[in-house]
């Protein structure tokens, strides 16, 4: 018996060498992962030791040379982030990502031994006789990944991520100056990578993108129109507050009380509706007095509640009003106890809904942490405040596109009711991108 050891990066790499040196009757005795020197610290420290053998007593099977294919094999290219004009990433990146995808699927679908046998069988040259390298066995049932398999899978995923990032960087480097400037602007506005990629891909789908990307003004106009197309379905109509009772919830300091005062003034003075106010914000000093002052100026009654039973009484007192706006205390929405306290005060049933109030000065991740518990319970309307206190507006776009929240109003300043406007996609896209010459 002739035994030979191979040190390779993966088992498939050893198959041609085994067939070339030992013949088609060779079998793999064992595979083992070992440590070797790395390459720039990127996944290069692990190698696979493959031990193969062939019986030498009988006549050796002739070694067949591979038959050259009659036509080149075309493999589908992996999608590239920021690929200009639909260009694909470099061939090396495509090959690495395709191999990583295949290794990921194999690691999840087959245990090690059947995988090796299947790989050897699949690598037979065209026109060569079939050979059974291992004893036939029934198809294995799904088994949990071992520690080694899980570790290898994590490394493959890391390699795929790294290759995609490298491909994206190379593709982005090939973009025109205005296109790079657009991506930089979106990144400064903290727009997520997914939204940036989507915008660029949709712009590249335009047959005239090559000429468009060289004209900064035209590219900016096209990008604003695309963002408007995304957001127009979420614009509020004139009947945004058709329910009789609206509860306003949100974290501390986002301006719920001032926003409620602005809405009460808007509905009373412009829409000529009779409005009633309820406040459960008894935690913050002078919160009740602040809302009572606004109510006295507008001639709007105010009810103060401390418990769920008092909430029922307050709604009964204001039953004759066209619209009831309820203020709740700003609480820590990472605390289940405090969330339940607020929820117990809200009136359930038809004719009422909950509106989330968020500050644009917060990061997207912080907004999501607050919004997700409400989104899971059917809350899909939001008012964004403190527009005048920030120059970063991307979080609104992120939340709308990723979670389907409908922005009703944008609030800015302290003037009641002037510093409150219904959300408008045209104005927002202009704020988000600015003017090309000024960016």
């Amino acid at each position: 018996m002739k035994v030979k050891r191979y040190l390779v990066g993966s088992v498939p790499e050893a198959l041609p060498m085994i067939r070339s040196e030992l013949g088609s009757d060779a079998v793999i005795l064992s595979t083992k992962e070992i440590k070797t020197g790395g390459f720039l610290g990127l996944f290069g420290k692990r190698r696979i030791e493959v031990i193969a053998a062939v019986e030498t007593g009988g006549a050796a099977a002739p070694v067949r040379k591979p038959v050259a294919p009659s036509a080149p094999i075309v493999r589908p290219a992996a999608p590239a982030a920021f690929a200009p004009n639909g260009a694909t990433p470099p061939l090396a990146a495509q090959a690495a990502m395709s191999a990583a995808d295949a290794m990921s699927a194999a690691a999840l679908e087959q245990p090690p031994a059947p995988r090796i046998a299947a790989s050897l069988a699949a690598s037979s040259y065209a026109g060569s006789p079939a050979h059974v390298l291992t004893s036939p066995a029934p198809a294995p049932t799904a088994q949990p990944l071992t520690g080694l398999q899980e570790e290898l899978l994590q490394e493959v995923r890391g390699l795929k991520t790294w290759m995609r990032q490298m491909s994206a960087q190379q593709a982005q480097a090939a973009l025109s100056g205005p296109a790079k400037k657009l991506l930089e602007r979106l990144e400064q506005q903290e727009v997520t990578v997914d939204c940036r990629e989507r915008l660029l891909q949709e712009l590249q789908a335009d047959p005239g993108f090559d000429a468009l990307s060289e004209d900064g003004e035209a590219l900016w106009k096209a990008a604003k129109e695309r963002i408007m197309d995304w957001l127009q379905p979420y614009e509020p109509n004139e009947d945004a507050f058709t329910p009789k009772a609206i509860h306003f919830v949100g974290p501390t300091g986002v301006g719920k009380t001032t926003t409620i005062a602005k809405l009460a003034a808007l509905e009373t003075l412009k829409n000529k509706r009779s409005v009633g106010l309820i406040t459960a914000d008894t935690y913050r000093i002078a919160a009740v007095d602040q809302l009572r002052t606004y109510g006295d100026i507008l001639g709007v009654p105010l009810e103060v509640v401390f418990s769920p039973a008092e909430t029922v009484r307050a709604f009964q007192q204001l039953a004759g009003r066209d619209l009831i706006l309820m203020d709740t205390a700003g609480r820590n929405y990472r605390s289940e106890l405090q969330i339940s306290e607020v929820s117990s005060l809200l009136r359930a049933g038809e004719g009422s809904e909950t509106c989330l109030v968020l500050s644009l000065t917060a990061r997207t991740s912080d907004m999501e942490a607050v919004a997700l518990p409400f989104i899971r319970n059917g809350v899909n309307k939001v008012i964004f405040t403190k527009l005048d206190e920030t120059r970063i507006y991307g979080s609104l776009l992120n939340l709308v596109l990723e979670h389907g929240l409908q922005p009703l109003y944008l609030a800015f300043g302290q003037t009641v009711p002037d510093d409150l406007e219904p959300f408008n996609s045209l104005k927002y896209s202009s704020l988000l991108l600015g003017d090309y010459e000024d960016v």
Side-chain angles (χ1 to χ4, degrees):
M1 176 177 287
K2 183 178 179 181
V3 180
K4 193 167 180 65
R5 174 178 178 266
Y6 299 89
L7 192 63
V8 292
S10 65
V11 173
E13 292 180 20
L15 304 183
M17 293 185 284
I18 294 173
R19 290 189 174 278
S20 174
E21 297 181 12
L22 301 181
S24 299
D25 290 330
V27 296
I28 292 178
L29 301 179
S30 68
T31 61
K32 180 175 67 173
E33 185 184 82
I34 62 174
K35 296 280 188 177
T36 62
F39 175 70
L40 299 178
L42 293 174
F43 313 106
K45 295 185 179 180
R46 300 182 184 277
R47 303 284 285 173
I48 304 297
E49 180 190 65
V50 179
I51 306 297
V54 64
E55 203 54 62
T56 57
V63 178
R64 297 182 64 90
K65 295 184 178 180
V67 178
S70 58
I73 299 174
V74 180
R75 301 185 183 277
F82 304 126
N85 302 323
T88 57
L91 291 178
Q94 294 182 32
M97 286 188 283
S98 298
D101 289 332
M103 291 174 65
S104 298
L108 289 171
E109 294 174 1
Q110 296 181 343
R115 259 204 327 274
I116 295 167
S119 299
L120 278 169
S123 67
S124 297
Y125 296 118
S128 63
H131 293 279
V132 179
L133 300 179
T134 57
S135 300
T141 57
Q143 298 178 1
L145 295 178
T146 64
L148 176 60
Q149 288 175 323
E150 183 66 32
E151 189 176 353
L152 284 173
L153 195 56
Q154 292 297 329
E155 289 196 359
V156 170
R157 288 170 178 165
L159 178 60
K160 288 169 59 179
T161 301
W162 178 77
M163 291 301 298
R164 287 194 175 103
Q165 290 174 349
M166 293 294 293
S167 175
Q169 290 175 4
Q170 293 176 5
Q172 188 173 352
L175 292 174
S176 65
K180 289 181 182 178
K181 190 174 180 180
L182 175 62
L183 292 179
E184 290 171 0
R185 170 67 179 184
L186 292 171
E187 186 175 3
Q188 291 169 0
Q189 289 294 309
E190 299 182 2
V191 176
T192 62
V193 174
D194 289 343
C195 292
R196 299 201 302 263
E197 289 182 6
R198 176 184 171 187
L199 178 61
L200 187 61
Q201 288 169 2
E202 292 187 10
L203 291 173
Q204 289 174 337
D206 188 332
F209 177 75
D210 287 342
L212 184 69
S213 63
E214 297 297 337
D215 185 346
E217 295 288 350
L219 181 63
W220 240 247
K221 180 180 178 182
K224 288 180 181 179
E225 290 175 352
R226 185 63 58 183
I227 293 173
M228 287 172 56
D229 291 341
W230 294 350
L231 295 178
Q232 278 179 347
Y234 298 95
E235 286 188 5
N237 53 35
E238 295 181 356
D239 298 327
F241 285 111
T242 51
K244 182 179 179 64
I246 312 293
H247 314 115
F248 294 86
V249 297
T252 58
V254 295
K256 290 190 300 299
T257 303
T258 304
T259 300
I260 289 173
K262 292 175 182 178
L263 284 171
L266 184 66
E267 293 293 327
T268 301
L269 302 177
K270 181 179 178 180
N271 298 331
K272 307 301 181 182
R273 299 176 70 184
S274 60
V275 178
L277 300 177
I278 298 176
T279 180
D281 189 1
T282 56
Y283 295 90
R284 189 164 55 92
I285 297 175
V288 174
D289 293 337
Q290 179 186 3
L291 199 56
R292 191 186 301 279
T293 300
Y294 286 124
D296 291 342
I297 294 172
L298 297 171
V300 173
L302 171 69
E303 297 290 333
V304 182
V305 300
F306 296 88
S307 66
E310 294 184 356
T311 302
V312 175
R313 175 194 54 78
F315 275 102
Q316 291 174 348
Q317 291 290 331
L318 301 174
R321 294 282 162 170
D322 296 331
L323 178 65
I324 301 174
L325 305 178
M326 180 174 178
D327 189 13
T328 61
R331 308 294 278 158
N332 177 11
Y333 287 96
R334 294 185 180 182
S335 167
E336 293 293 336
L337 176 60
Q338 295 186 15
I339 290 177
S340 6
E341 287 179 5
V342 173
S343 300
S344 66
L345 297 171
L346 304 183
R347 174 187 176 184
E350 296 182 1
S352 65
E353 69 178 14
T354 302
C355 182
L356 188 59
V357 182
L358 296 173
S359 169
L360 284 170
T361 58
R363 297 175 300 179
T364 299
S365 58
D366 292 333
M367 290 187 183
E368 286 180 332
V370 173
L372 285 176
F374 293 101
I375 293 173
R376 287 192 290 265
N377 287 281
V379 177
N380 62 357
K381 294 185 178 180
V382 60
I383 294 176
F384 290 97
T385 63
K386 302 192 177 182
L387 181 67
D388 57 321
E389 297 183 17
T390 182
R391 294 183 180 273
I392 305 298
Y393 313 109
S395 54
L396 186 152
L397 182 68
N398 300 336
L399 289 176
V400 171
L401 296 184
E402 294 180 19
H403 300 289
L405 286 174
Q406 180 186 14
L408 298 180
Y409 287 93
L410 294 180
F412 48 92
Q414 300 293 318
T415 305
V416 177
D418 297 332
D419 294 344
L420 183 74
E421 291 183 355
F423 174 76
N424 180 277
S425 58
L426 173 60
K427 290 184 178 180
Y428 173 75
S429 62
S430 298
L431 279 173
L432 182 70
L433 294 183
D435 295 325
Y436 174 74
E437 296 297 336
D438 297 335
V439 174

